[in-house]
Amino acid sequence: MNPEDILPDSLLDRIRGRAAGYDRDNAFFHEDLSELKAAGYLEIFVPAADGGLGLGLGGAAQLQRRLATAAPATALAVNMHLVWTGVAHVLAARGDSSLDFVLKEAAHGEIFAFGNSEAGNDSVLFDSRTEAVPLPDGGYSFTGRKIFTSLSPAWTRLGIFGKDSSAGEGAGELVHGFLTRDTPGYEILPDWDTLGMRASQSNTTVLDGAVVPADRIFRKLPVGPNADPLIFAIFACFETLLAAVYTGIGERAFTLGVEAVQHRTSFKNGGRSYAQDPDIRWKVAEAAMAMDALYPQLSRVAADVDELEDLGSQWFPRLVGLKVRATETARSVVDLAIRVSGGSSYFRGSELERLYRDVLAGMFHPSDDESAHNTVASAWLGPLETP
């Protein structure tokens, strides 16, 4: 798979050319989405037999990294569609056909979004503040508030979950389903006015008795951590594709930094290029070495998912470690690129200024820094002892 065949330079240039305008106007990337959809980009995980690209997580990560070098917010929002189609692909590869309908609907143009995040819910997928009330026909009525719902202006299928407190043995049961755009009982708030990643339009979605019918309910799980394949598939796709986007941001920032250093000249050094300044060279080298460590980690984790590697209890440390490495590396590389590029990067409208704002969003995606370190520490040292 050659990413340039699927996402050619001509398309990438058009997407890059629109990114600043979307950011300035706090506007959704309608033109980008239209072109990506026409190119079959939203069907990365759809089997070739069904008209898709038939790629795995490794191929998707390469493409998302490339897209993010042009428009991080576009790539981040598209990620949410790719997470769901990726989850369906990962499950199918492991013999679970419960989300095959996601791939079939994606092949027919449906756009999926991720509506699981909730303010104050640090249990992420293991509990929910949204109420899921069972209905006599097997469907559920959902009431709650979902945040960071990327693709808000465009999704046709919204994956949500909530807690049925009447089920299970006291703790309740977590119910997962897909809401369709024409379902009554939800409201998308026009509240996305943020520091960066503005084009993603990740608005808050308020559910007020929104009904998901029985045939759109695809999982019921106990509250708390569990080994269901769905949980692995969501974490694997979400963390890996997220890491790919931030790797692309770091890659683009590094490219811009190198270009700036080669073109900037030093008056006190007789007009010589800053590429001849030892301190600047050190910063460029620092950024290069940081990125060099990230590329193989991203590639290896994605390949392990595609190759059905059984890493047991080490899977989640690997996934959250990749996410933290990618987001933190990208943030430090953007910072170094700005430092070597000079004061022009401080002005509104410069690409590095926009990347500086966009990259900060990485710290807010799950798993956050604290949760990730706890996961990795527990994998190697065991859980914290209770008093």
Side-chain angles (χ1 to χ4, degrees):
M1 189 273 297
N2 185 350
E4 294 182 10
D5 293 338
I6 298 168
L7 195 57
D9 288 342
S10 56
L11 175 55
L12 208 64
D13 288 343
R14 290 195 299 275
I15 290 173
R16 179 176 289 116
R18 291 188 286 254
Y22 291 143
D23 175 76
R24 181 192 62 241
D25 299 337
N26 193 27
F28 186 66
F29 58 99
H30 286 290
E31 295 91 345
D32 290 357
L33 185 61
S34 178
E35 287 207 66
L36 289 169
K37 190 174 182 179
Y41 195 87
L42 300 188
E43 299 166 35
I44 287 173
F45 288 109
V46 174
D50 294 329
L53 298 181
L55 301 181
L57 191 57
Q62 285 187 58
L63 287 168
Q64 281 295 88
R65 171 184 149 195
R66 180 168 166 79
L67 179 58
T69 65
T74 293
L76 182 66
V78 169
N79 245 15
M80 300 305 108
H81 171 85
L82 295 181
V83 165
W84 276 126
T85 55
V87 166
H89 166 80
V90 167
L91 289 176
R94 288 158 176 77
D96 184 334
S97 61
S98 61
L99 285 183
D100 281 2
F101 71 90
V102 169
L103 295 172
K104 293 184 183 301
E105 292 184 9
H108 288 91
E110 303 296 347
I111 299 176
F112 289 80
F114 208 76
N116 284 355
S117 297
E118 300 168 340
N121 180 11
D122 55 1
S123 294
V124 193
L125 291 176
F126 301 139
D127 205 344
S128 176
R129 300 171 66 119
T130 296
E131 182 182 36
V133 177
L135 302 175
D137 61 1
Y140 282 81
S141 168
F142 289 83
T143 298
R145 192 180 186 93
K146 302 295 186 178
I147 61 173
F148 296 121
T149 313
S150 300
L151 291 171
S152 283
W155 62 260
T156 63
R157 305 285 188 266
L158 181 65
I160 59 175
F161 85 128
K163 182 162 63 176
D164 176 6
S165 298
S166 68
E169 299 179 0
E173 190 173 59
L174 300 174
V175 182
H176 295 258
F178 282 102
L179 192 71
T180 58
R181 190 90 187 185
D182 58 359
T183 300
Y186 73 89
E187 180 184 6
I188 297 173
L189 303 183
D191 60 351
W192 190 251
D193 189 6
T194 50
L195 181 68
M197 293 294 187
R198 289 161 63 80
S200 71
Q201 291 299 298
S202 306
N203 303 63
T204 297
T205 303
V206 179
L207 306 172
D208 185 13
V211 173
V212 176
D215 62 353
R216 306 296 291 186
I217 299 295
F218 62 89
R219 226 29 155 246
K220 299 178 185 179
L221 299 174
V223 173
N226 66 82
D228 190 273
L230 175 68
I231 302 300
F232 167 76
I234 290 176
F235 268 95
C237 294
F238 191 95
E239 302 291 69
T240 305
L241 292 173
L242 192 71
V245 168
Y246 284 88
T247 300
I249 294 175
E251 182 177 347
R252 179 59 178 171
F254 179 75
T255 298
L256 292 172
V258 168
E259 290 176 354
V261 167
Q262 291 173 331
H263 290 99
R264 288 180 68 205
T265 56
S266 171
F267 180 74
K268 72 177 182 180
N269 287 325
R272 298 175 71 199
S273 165
Y274 270 93
Q276 302 304 310
D277 184 308
D279 293 330
I280 296 294
R281 293 171 67 87
W282 186 91
K283 288 182 172 64
V284 170
E286 183 78 1
M289 289 188 288
M291 291 303 300
D292 282 346
L294 182 52
Y295 296 131
Q297 184 178 7
L298 174 62
S299 178
R300 185 66 263 163
V301 170
D304 284 344
V305 175
D306 286 338
E307 294 166 10
L308 310 185
E309 291 289 338
D310 183 7
L311 301 181
S313 63
Q314 286 297 317
W315 255 124
F316 288 100
R318 289 278 298 279
L319 292 167
V320 300
L322 170 63
K323 181 268 175 180
V324 170
R325 166 73 66 95
T327 55
E328 292 301 310
T329 296
R331 190 161 63 90
S332 66
V333 169
V334 172
D335 183 77
L336 285 167
I338 284 178
R339 290 175 185 272
V340 302
S341 296
S344 63
S345 63
Y346 190 63
F347 281 78
R348 286 299 300 266
S350 82
E351 189 172 356
L352 273 174
E353 178 267 339
R354 176 163 45 82
L355 294 181
Y356 187 78
R357 290 183 288 106
D358 282 349
V359 79
L360 294 179
M363 69 180 74
F364 300 109
H365 304 300
S367 293
D368 61 26
D369 194 41
E370 295 83 4
S371 174
H373 279 78
N374 180 59
T375 296
V376 175
S378 295
W380 290 103
L381 302 174
L384 285 169
E385 296 178 0
T386 55

XYZ file of all heavy atoms in Angstrom, residues 16 24 59 63 128 143 149 186 214 241 243 257 268 308 357 366 383:
130
model
N -4.550 20.971 2.766
C -3.668 21.881 3.515
C -4.043 23.338 3.250
O -4.018 24.175 4.158
C -2.209 21.622 3.153
C -1.230 22.559 3.881
C 0.217 22.236 3.598
N 0.604 20.985 4.244
C 0.982 19.896 3.605
N 1.041 19.890 2.273
N 1.305 18.791 4.260
N -9.535 29.618 11.249
C -9.856 31.031 11.465
C -11.353 31.240 11.666
O -11.780 31.991 12.552
C -9.379 31.849 10.262
C -9.643 33.344 10.375
C -9.418 34.045 9.045
N -10.325 33.561 8.012
C -9.934 32.966 6.881
N -8.650 32.779 6.614
N -10.835 32.546 5.996
N -2.152 0.136 7.779
C -2.379 0.981 6.612
C -3.151 2.236 6.971
O -2.851 3.335 6.480
N -1.997 6.317 6.639
C -2.784 7.326 5.938
C -3.170 8.474 6.867
O -3.123 9.643 6.469
C -4.038 6.678 5.358
C -3.803 5.779 4.137
C -5.046 4.965 3.820
C -3.394 6.626 2.930
N -20.580 4.618 33.119
C -21.196 5.704 32.362
C -22.116 6.524 33.251
O -22.773 5.994 34.154
C -21.988 5.143 31.172
O -22.660 6.177 30.472
N -30.413 8.890 28.138
C -30.446 10.271 28.612
C -29.112 10.602 29.270
O -28.683 9.908 30.217
C -31.589 10.489 29.621
O -32.843 10.229 28.981
C -31.583 11.915 30.152
N -17.867 15.278 20.742
C -18.468 14.470 19.682
C -18.013 15.014 18.328
O -18.711 15.797 17.681
C -20.001 14.483 19.775
O -20.407 14.247 21.122
C -20.599 13.409 18.886
N -32.367 14.092 20.837
C -31.007 14.546 21.108
C -30.846 15.960 20.561
O -31.569 16.404 19.684
C -29.958 13.613 20.502
C -29.826 13.700 19.001
C -28.946 14.604 18.413
C -30.591 12.890 18.163
C -28.827 14.700 17.024
C -30.477 12.971 16.785
C -29.598 13.888 16.226
O -29.481 13.988 14.863
N -33.790 -2.211 19.321
C -33.115 -3.451 19.706
C -32.076 -3.897 18.682
O -30.999 -4.392 19.049
C -34.145 -4.555 19.925
N -4.817 5.052 16.184
C -5.130 6.077 15.185
C -4.910 7.476 15.745
O -4.496 8.388 15.022
C -6.559 5.905 14.688
C -6.806 4.639 13.855
C -8.284 4.474 13.547
C -5.986 4.649 12.576
N -2.595 8.203 17.942
C -1.141 8.351 17.894
C -0.675 8.693 16.482
O 0.254 9.480 16.294
C -0.468 7.064 18.369
N 10.187 23.350 10.668
C 11.337 23.840 11.416
C 12.622 23.760 10.617
O 13.428 24.701 10.599
N 24.481 38.698 12.865
C 25.735 38.769 13.615
C 26.775 37.772 13.109
O 27.967 37.917 13.372
C 25.483 38.554 15.105
C 25.119 37.140 15.505
C 24.973 37.018 17.012
C 24.649 35.593 17.425
N 24.500 35.471 18.896
N -2.718 -10.236 14.837
C -3.421 -10.982 15.888
C -2.482 -11.467 16.979
O -2.648 -12.558 17.542
C -4.190 -12.165 15.301
C -5.101 -11.893 14.100
C -5.875 -13.147 13.718
C -6.069 -10.759 14.384
N -1.283 25.197 18.677
C -2.576 25.120 19.349
C -3.217 23.752 19.179
O -3.771 23.181 20.124
C -3.501 26.219 18.818
C -3.081 27.618 19.248
C -4.044 28.692 18.775
N -3.971 28.941 17.333
C -4.864 28.558 16.451
N -5.926 27.851 16.835
N -4.727 28.851 15.164
N -8.336 10.396 26.014
C -8.002 9.215 26.816
C -7.055 8.306 26.026
O -7.132 8.266 24.796
C -9.355 8.546 27.039
C -10.215 9.018 25.894
C -9.740 10.404 25.558
N -1.116 -4.076 41.104
C -1.963 -2.971 41.555
C -1.494 -2.407 42.891
O -0.760 -3.064 43.638
C -3.344 -3.625 41.675
C -3.043 -5.075 41.928
C -1.810 -5.377 41.155
